[in-house]
Structure formats: C-alpha cells, structure tokens
Short mmCIF file of all heavy atoms in Angstrom, two decimals:
data_model
loop_
_atom_site.label_atom_id
_atom_site.label_comp_id
_atom_site.label_asym_id
_atom_site.label_seq_id
_atom_site.Cartn_x
_atom_site.Cartn_y
_atom_site.Cartn_z
N TYR T 1 0.86 -1.18 0.00
CA TYR T 1 0.00 0.00 0.00
C TYR T 1 0.90 1.24 0.00
O TYR T 1 1.27 1.73 1.07
CB TYR T 1 -0.91 -0.01 1.23
CG TYR T 1 -1.74 -1.27 1.34
CD1 TYR T 1 -1.27 -2.40 2.00
CD2 TYR T 1 -3.00 -1.33 0.76
CE1 TYR T 1 -2.03 -3.55 2.09
CE2 TYR T 1 -3.77 -2.48 0.85
CZ TYR T 1 -3.28 -3.58 1.51
OH TYR T 1 -4.04 -4.72 1.60
N PRO T 2 1.27 1.74 -1.19
CA PRO T 2 2.24 2.85 -1.25
C PRO T 2 1.82 4.10 -0.49
O PRO T 2 2.64 4.70 0.20
CB PRO T 2 2.35 3.15 -2.75
CG PRO T 2 1.98 1.86 -3.41
CD PRO T 2 0.92 1.27 -2.53
N ARG T 3 0.56 4.51 -0.58
CA ARG T 3 0.16 5.74 0.12
C ARG T 3 0.17 5.57 1.62
O ARG T 3 0.41 6.53 2.35
CB ARG T 3 -1.23 6.17 -0.34
CG ARG T 3 -1.20 6.72 -1.75
CD ARG T 3 -2.24 7.78 -1.96
NE ARG T 3 -2.13 8.30 -3.31
CZ ARG T 3 -3.14 8.53 -4.10
NH1 ARG T 3 -4.36 8.30 -3.69
NH2 ARG T 3 -2.94 9.02 -5.30
N LEU T 4 -0.10 4.36 2.09
CA LEU T 4 -0.07 4.10 3.54
C LEU T 4 1.32 3.73 4.02
O LEU T 4 1.57 3.61 5.20
CB LEU T 4 -1.04 2.97 3.89
CG LEU T 4 -2.51 3.21 3.55
CD1 LEU T 4 -3.32 1.97 3.86
CD2 LEU T 4 -3.05 4.40 4.31
N LYS T 5 2.23 3.51 3.06
CA LYS T 5 3.61 3.13 3.35
C LYS T 5 3.66 1.85 4.18
O LYS T 5 4.46 1.72 5.11
CB LYS T 5 4.36 4.26 4.05
CG LYS T 5 4.43 5.52 3.21
CD LYS T 5 5.19 6.62 3.89
CE LYS T 5 5.19 7.83 2.97
NZ LYS T 5 5.88 8.95 3.45
N THR T 6 2.79 0.90 3.87
CA THR T 6 2.75 -0.36 4.59
C THR T 6 2.66 -1.52 3.59
O THR T 6 2.40 -1.33 2.41
CB THR T 6 1.54 -0.46 5.54
OG1 THR T 6 0.34 -0.39 4.76
CG2 THR T 6 1.56 0.63 6.58
N SER T 7 2.87 -2.72 4.12
CA SER T 7 2.72 -3.92 3.32
C SER T 7 2.32 -5.07 4.24
O SER T 7 2.52 -5.02 5.45
CB SER T 7 4.04 -4.27 2.62
OG SER T 7 5.04 -4.52 3.58
N GLN T 8 1.72 -6.09 3.64
CA GLN T 8 1.37 -7.31 4.36
C GLN T 8 1.84 -8.48 3.53
O GLN T 8 1.77 -8.45 2.31
CB GLN T 8 -0.14 -7.43 4.56
CG GLN T 8 -0.71 -6.45 5.56
CD GLN T 8 -2.20 -6.68 5.76
OE1 GLN T 8 -2.93 -6.87 4.80
NE2 GLN T 8 -2.63 -6.66 7.00
N MET T 9 2.31 -9.52 4.22
CA MET T 9 2.80 -10.70 3.53
C MET T 9 2.05 -11.93 4.04
O MET T 9 1.82 -12.06 5.24
CB MET T 9 4.31 -10.86 3.77
CG MET T 9 4.94 -11.96 2.95
SD MET T 9 6.73 -12.08 3.21
CE MET T 9 7.29 -10.66 2.31
N TYR T 10 1.64 -12.81 3.13
CA TYR T 10 0.94 -14.03 3.47
C TYR T 10 1.70 -15.20 2.86
O TYR T 10 2.17 -15.11 1.74
CB TYR T 10 -0.48 -14.05 2.88
CG TYR T 10 -1.28 -12.81 3.19
CD1 TYR T 10 -1.28 -11.73 2.31
CD2 TYR T 10 -2.04 -12.73 4.33
CE1 TYR T 10 -2.03 -10.61 2.57
CE2 TYR T 10 -2.79 -11.60 4.61
CZ TYR T 10 -2.78 -10.55 3.72
OH TYR T 10 -3.52 -9.43 3.99
N ASN T 11 1.79 -16.30 3.61
CA ASN T 11 2.41 -17.50 3.06
C ASN T 11 1.36 -18.58 3.00
O ASN T 11 0.84 -19.01 4.02
CB ASN T 11 3.60 -17.93 3.94
CG ASN T 11 4.40 -19.02 3.28
OD1 ASN T 11 3.88 -19.86 2.55
ND2 ASN T 11 5.69 -19.03 3.53
N PHE T 12 1.03 -19.05 1.78
CA PHE T 12 -0.01 -20.04 1.58
C PHE T 12 0.48 -21.46 1.78
O PHE T 12 -0.30 -22.39 1.71
CB PHE T 12 -0.61 -19.91 0.19
CG PHE T 12 -1.25 -18.58 -0.04
CD1 PHE T 12 -0.84 -17.78 -1.08
CD2 PHE T 12 -2.26 -18.12 0.79
CE1 PHE T 12 -1.43 -16.55 -1.30
CE2 PHE T 12 -2.84 -16.88 0.58
CZ PHE T 12 -2.43 -16.11 -0.47
N SER T 13 1.77 -21.66 2.01
CA SER T 13 2.28 -23.02 2.13
C SER T 13 2.26 -23.51 3.58
O SER T 13 2.59 -24.65 3.84
CB SER T 13 3.71 -23.10 1.58
OG SER T 13 4.58 -22.29 2.35
N PHE T 14 1.89 -22.65 4.52
CA PHE T 14 1.80 -23.09 5.91
C PHE T 14 0.70 -24.12 6.07
O PHE T 14 -0.30 -24.11 5.37
CB PHE T 14 1.48 -21.92 6.85
CG PHE T 14 2.65 -21.01 7.12
CD1 PHE T 14 2.44 -19.66 7.28
CD2 PHE T 14 3.92 -21.51 7.21
CE1 PHE T 14 3.50 -18.81 7.54
CE2 PHE T 14 4.99 -20.67 7.47
CZ PHE T 14 4.76 -19.32 7.63
N THR T 15 0.88 -25.00 7.05
CA THR T 15 -0.19 -25.92 7.38
C THR T 15 -1.25 -25.16 8.18
O THR T 15 -1.03 -24.04 8.62
CB THR T 15 0.33 -27.09 8.24
OG1 THR T 15 0.86 -26.55 9.45
CG2 THR T 15 1.40 -27.88 7.51
N GLU T 16 -2.38 -25.79 8.38
CA GLU T 16 -3.50 -25.11 9.05
C GLU T 16 -3.11 -24.61 10.44
O GLU T 16 -3.49 -23.52 10.85
CB GLU T 16 -4.68 -26.08 9.17
CG GLU T 16 -5.89 -25.49 9.84
CD GLU T 16 -7.04 -26.47 9.87
OE1 GLU T 16 -7.20 -27.23 8.94
OE2 GLU T 16 -7.79 -26.43 10.87
N GLU T 17 -2.33 -25.39 11.17
CA GLU T 17 -1.97 -25.00 12.53
C GLU T 17 -1.09 -23.76 12.58
O GLU T 17 -1.09 -23.01 13.54
CB GLU T 17 -1.23 -26.15 13.25
CG GLU T 17 -2.06 -27.40 13.45
CD GLU T 17 -2.18 -28.24 12.18
OE1 GLU T 17 -1.22 -28.26 11.39
OE2 GLU T 17 -3.25 -28.84 11.98
N ASN T 18 -0.31 -23.55 11.51
CA ASN T 18 0.63 -22.43 11.50
C ASN T 18 0.17 -21.26 10.64
O ASN T 18 0.93 -20.34 10.41
CB ASN T 18 2.00 -22.90 10.98
CG ASN T 18 2.62 -23.91 11.90
OD1 ASN T 18 2.45 -23.83 13.10
ND2 ASN T 18 3.32 -24.88 11.34
N CYS T 19 -1.06 -21.32 10.12
CA CYS T 19 -1.53 -20.26 9.24
C CYS T 19 -1.53 -18.92 9.96
O CYS T 19 -2.07 -18.79 11.05
CB CYS T 19 -2.93 -20.57 8.74
SG CYS T 19 -3.57 -19.32 7.65
N GLN T 20 -0.88 -17.95 9.36
CA GLN T 20 -0.82 -16.63 9.99
C GLN T 20 -0.47 -15.57 8.97
O GLN T 20 0.02 -15.87 7.90
CB GLN T 20 0.22 -16.63 11.11
CG GLN T 20 1.61 -17.05 10.65
CD GLN T 20 2.57 -17.18 11.79
OE1 GLN T 20 2.60 -16.32 12.65
NE2 GLN T 20 3.34 -18.24 11.81
N VAL T 21 -0.77 -14.34 9.32
CA VAL T 21 -0.42 -13.21 8.48
C VAL T 21 0.90 -12.66 9.00
O VAL T 21 1.08 -12.47 10.19
CB VAL T 21 -1.51 -12.11 8.56
CG1 VAL T 21 -1.08 -10.90 7.76
CG2 VAL T 21 -2.83 -12.66 8.04
N LEU T 22 1.82 -12.42 8.08
CA LEU T 22 3.15 -11.95 8.47
C LEU T 22 3.41 -10.58 7.87
O LEU T 22 3.07 -10.33 6.72
CB LEU T 22 4.22 -12.93 7.99
CG LEU T 22 4.11 -14.35 8.54
CD1 LEU T 22 5.14 -15.24 7.88
CD2 LEU T 22 4.29 -14.37 10.03
N ASP T 23 4.03 -9.71 8.62
CA ASP T 23 4.38 -8.38 8.12
C ASP T 23 5.88 -8.21 7.96
O ASP T 23 6.36 -7.12 7.81
CB ASP T 23 3.86 -7.30 9.09
CG ASP T 23 2.35 -7.17 9.00
OD1 ASP T 23 1.84 -7.18 7.87
OD2 ASP T 23 1.71 -7.06 10.04
N GLN T 24 6.61 -9.29 8.01
CA GLN T 24 8.05 -9.19 7.83
C GLN T 24 8.52 -10.35 6.97
O GLN T 24 7.72 -11.16 6.52
CB GLN T 24 8.77 -9.20 9.18
CG GLN T 24 8.63 -10.49 9.99
CD GLN T 24 7.40 -10.51 10.88
OE1 GLN T 24 6.75 -9.51 11.04
NE2 GLN T 24 7.10 -11.64 11.43
N SER T 25 9.82 -10.44 6.73
CA SER T 25 10.36 -11.51 5.90
C SER T 25 10.04 -12.87 6.51
O SER T 25 9.95 -13.02 7.72
CB SER T 25 11.88 -11.36 5.78
OG SER T 25 12.18 -10.15 5.14
N LEU T 26 9.88 -13.86 5.65
CA LEU T 26 9.55 -15.20 6.10
C LEU T 26 10.80 -16.06 6.14
O LEU T 26 11.57 -16.11 5.20
CB LEU T 26 8.55 -15.83 5.14
CG LEU T 26 7.23 -15.10 4.98
CD1 LEU T 26 6.48 -15.68 3.80
CD2 LEU T 26 6.41 -15.23 6.23
N GLU T 27 10.98 -16.77 7.27
CA GLU T 27 12.08 -17.71 7.33
C GLU T 27 11.75 -18.88 6.43
O GLU T 27 10.60 -19.26 6.26
CB GLU T 27 12.28 -18.19 8.77
CG GLU T 27 12.78 -17.11 9.70
CD GLU T 27 13.02 -17.62 11.11
OE1 GLU T 27 13.26 -18.82 11.25
OE2 GLU T 27 12.97 -16.82 12.03
N ASN T 28 12.76 -19.51 5.86
CA ASN T 28 12.60 -20.66 4.98
C ASN T 28 11.77 -20.36 3.75
O ASN T 28 11.24 -21.26 3.12
CB ASN T 28 11.98 -21.85 5.74
CG ASN T 28 12.81 -22.24 6.95
OD1 ASN T 28 14.03 -22.18 6.90
ND2 ASN T 28 12.14 -22.63 8.01
N SER T 29 11.60 -19.12 3.40
CA SER T 29 10.83 -18.75 2.22
C SER T 29 11.77 -18.52 1.06
O SER T 29 12.91 -18.12 1.25
CB SER T 29 10.02 -17.49 2.49
OG SER T 29 9.36 -17.09 1.32
N THR T 30 11.28 -18.77 -0.15
CA THR T 30 12.08 -18.48 -1.34
C THR T 30 11.83 -17.07 -1.83
O THR T 30 12.32 -16.68 -2.87
CB THR T 30 11.77 -19.50 -2.45
OG1 THR T 30 10.36 -19.46 -2.71
CG2 THR T 30 12.21 -20.89 -2.05
N VAL T 31 11.06 -16.30 -1.08
CA VAL T 31 10.80 -14.90 -1.40
C VAL T 31 11.54 -14.03 -0.40
O VAL T 31 11.44 -14.23 0.81
CB VAL T 31 9.29 -14.59 -1.37
CG1 VAL T 31 9.04 -13.11 -1.54
CG2 VAL T 31 8.57 -15.39 -2.42
N ASN T 32 12.30 -13.09 -0.89
CA ASN T 32 13.04 -12.17 -0.02
C ASN T 32 12.32 -10.83 -0.01
O ASN T 32 11.85 -10.36 -1.04
CB ASN T 32 14.46 -11.95 -0.55
CG ASN T 32 15.23 -13.24 -0.65
OD1 ASN T 32 15.23 -14.05 0.26
ND2 ASN T 32 15.87 -13.44 -1.79
N SER T 33 12.24 -10.22 1.17
CA SER T 33 11.69 -8.88 1.23
C SER T 33 12.61 -8.01 2.06
O SER T 33 13.13 -8.45 3.08
CB SER T 33 10.27 -8.87 1.80
OG SER T 33 10.29 -9.00 3.19
N ARG T 34 12.84 -6.80 1.56
CA ARG T 34 13.65 -5.83 2.29
C ARG T 34 12.83 -4.58 2.45
O ARG T 34 12.21 -4.10 1.50
CB ARG T 34 14.94 -5.52 1.53
CG ARG T 34 15.92 -6.67 1.52
CD ARG T 34 17.18 -6.26 0.87
NE ARG T 34 16.89 -5.92 -0.53
CZ ARG T 34 17.81 -5.76 -1.44
NH1 ARG T 34 19.07 -5.86 -1.15
NH2 ARG T 34 17.49 -5.46 -2.69
N ARG T 35 12.85 -4.06 3.64
CA ARG T 35 12.05 -2.87 3.93
C ARG T 35 12.98 -1.78 4.44
O ARG T 35 13.71 -1.97 5.39
CB ARG T 35 10.99 -3.23 4.98
CG ARG T 35 10.17 -2.07 5.47
CD ARG T 35 9.20 -1.64 4.37
NE ARG T 35 8.62 -0.37 4.68
CZ ARG T 35 7.39 -0.19 5.12
NH1 ARG T 35 6.61 -1.22 5.28
NH2 ARG T 35 6.94 1.01 5.36
N GLY T 36 12.93 -0.63 3.78
CA GLY T 36 13.67 0.53 4.25
C GLY T 36 12.68 1.58 4.73
O GLY T 36 11.48 1.33 4.82
N THR T 37 13.16 2.75 5.04
CA THR T 37 12.30 3.82 5.53
C THR T 37 11.23 4.19 4.51
O THR T 37 10.07 4.30 4.84
CB THR T 37 13.14 5.06 5.87
OG1 THR T 37 14.17 4.68 6.77
CG2 THR T 37 12.28 6.14 6.49
N ASN T 38 11.63 4.36 3.27
CA ASN T 38 10.69 4.77 2.23
C ASN T 38 10.61 3.80 1.07
O ASN T 38 10.15 4.16 -0.02
CB ASN T 38 11.06 6.15 1.68
CG ASN T 38 10.71 7.25 2.65
OD1 ASN T 38 9.63 7.25 3.21
ND2 ASN T 38 11.64 8.17 2.86
N LYS T 39 11.07 2.55 1.26
CA LYS T 39 11.13 1.62 0.14
C LYS T 39 10.91 0.20 0.60
O LYS T 39 11.30 -0.18 1.70
CB LYS T 39 12.49 1.74 -0.55
CG LYS T 39 12.59 1.02 -1.86
CD LYS T 39 13.90 1.34 -2.55
CE LYS T 39 13.94 0.73 -3.93
NZ LYS T 39 15.16 1.04 -4.64
N ILE T 40 10.26 -0.59 -0.24
CA ILE T 40 10.14 -2.02 0.00
C ILE T 40 10.50 -2.73 -1.30
O ILE T 40 10.14 -2.27 -2.39
CB ILE T 40 8.74 -2.44 0.49
CG1 ILE T 40 8.73 -3.93 0.80
CG2 ILE T 40 7.67 -2.07 -0.52
CD1 ILE T 40 7.50 -4.39 1.55
N GLU T 41 11.24 -3.82 -1.19
CA GLU T 41 11.60 -4.62 -2.36
C GLU T 41 11.31 -6.07 -2.05
O GLU T 41 11.67 -6.58 -0.99
CB GLU T 41 13.07 -4.44 -2.71
CG GLU T 41 13.45 -5.19 -3.96
CD GLU T 41 14.88 -4.93 -4.39
OE1 GLU T 41 15.52 -4.02 -3.86
OE2 GLU T 41 15.35 -5.66 -5.28
N VAL T 42 10.65 -6.74 -2.98
CA VAL T 42 10.32 -8.14 -2.86
C VAL T 42 10.89 -8.85 -4.07
O VAL T 42 10.71 -8.39 -5.20
CB VAL T 42 8.79 -8.35 -2.81
CG1 VAL T 42 8.45 -9.81 -2.66
CG2 VAL T 42 8.17 -7.54 -1.69
N SER T 43 11.60 -9.96 -3.85
CA SER T 43 12.20 -10.67 -4.98
C SER T 43 12.23 -12.16 -4.70
O SER T 43 12.12 -12.59 -3.56
CB SER T 43 13.62 -10.15 -5.24
OG SER T 43 14.43 -10.36 -4.11
N ASP T 44 12.40 -12.94 -5.77
CA ASP T 44 12.57 -14.37 -5.60
C ASP T 44 13.88 -14.79 -6.26
O ASP T 44 14.58 -13.99 -6.86
CB ASP T 44 11.37 -15.15 -6.14
CG ASP T 44 11.26 -15.12 -7.66
OD1 ASP T 44 12.13 -14.52 -8.32
OD2 ASP T 44 10.30 -15.69 -8.18
N GLN T 45 14.21 -16.08 -6.14
CA GLN T 45 15.48 -16.57 -6.66
C GLN T 45 15.45 -16.79 -8.16
O GLN T 45 16.46 -17.11 -8.76
CB GLN T 45 15.85 -17.87 -5.93
CG GLN T 45 16.06 -17.66 -4.45
CD GLN T 45 16.08 -18.96 -3.67
OE1 GLN T 45 15.60 -19.98 -4.15
NE2 GLN T 45 16.60 -18.91 -2.46
N LYS T 46 14.28 -16.61 -8.79
CA LYS T 46 14.16 -16.83 -10.22
C LYS T 46 14.21 -15.53 -11.01
O LYS T 46 13.89 -15.50 -12.19
CB LYS T 46 12.87 -17.58 -10.52
CG LYS T 46 12.85 -18.96 -9.92
CD LYS T 46 11.55 -19.66 -10.20
CE LYS T 46 11.56 -21.04 -9.55
NZ LYS T 46 10.27 -21.72 -9.71
N GLY T 47 14.56 -14.42 -10.37
CA GLY T 47 14.77 -13.18 -11.09
C GLY T 47 13.57 -12.27 -11.22
O GLY T 47 13.52 -11.45 -12.13
#
C-alpha cells in the first residue's frame, strides 16, 4: 500500500496450525523482502 507506506505478507504453504499473516520476511521462504524507511523490495530466486 504505497500511500499508507505499509505492506502485508501471506504465506499459503503453511499448514492449518501455523496459518498466519506476516508483516516481515519469512524464514525458509524463497521470497526475499527488504524494507527501508521509504522503500520495499520483494524478490525471488528466479529473477
């Protein structure tokens, strides 16, 4: 959400017991996210 300067991250591979909404980088995820003061970048290992 650029105007709100926020983001939310969801991981659909969690099992039912661990299902949760995450607002930061995910451990063991193939998606990387970096958050700076005025910038967010999300990338994967496939470019």
Side-chain angles (χ1 to χ4, degrees):
Y1 304 89
R3 288 211 178 136
L4 300 176
K5 300 181 180 181
T6 62
S7 62
Q8 289 183 316
M9 187 178 286
Y10 309 92
N11 190 328
F12 299 123
S13 64
F14 284 145
T15 61
E16 180 177 325
E17 296 78 33
N18 295 326
C19 180
Q20 56 186 316
V21 176
L22 300 174
D23 287 317
Q24 64 273 350
S25 297
L26 300 168
E27 292 182 25
N28 302 324
S29 176
T30 56
V31 173
N32 302 314
S33 78
R34 290 185 297 193
R35 175 72 193 255
T37 306
N38 286 315
K39 190 172 186 179
I40 184 168
E41 183 175 348
V42 181
S43 60
D44 70 2
Q45 297 166 341
K46 296 178 181 176

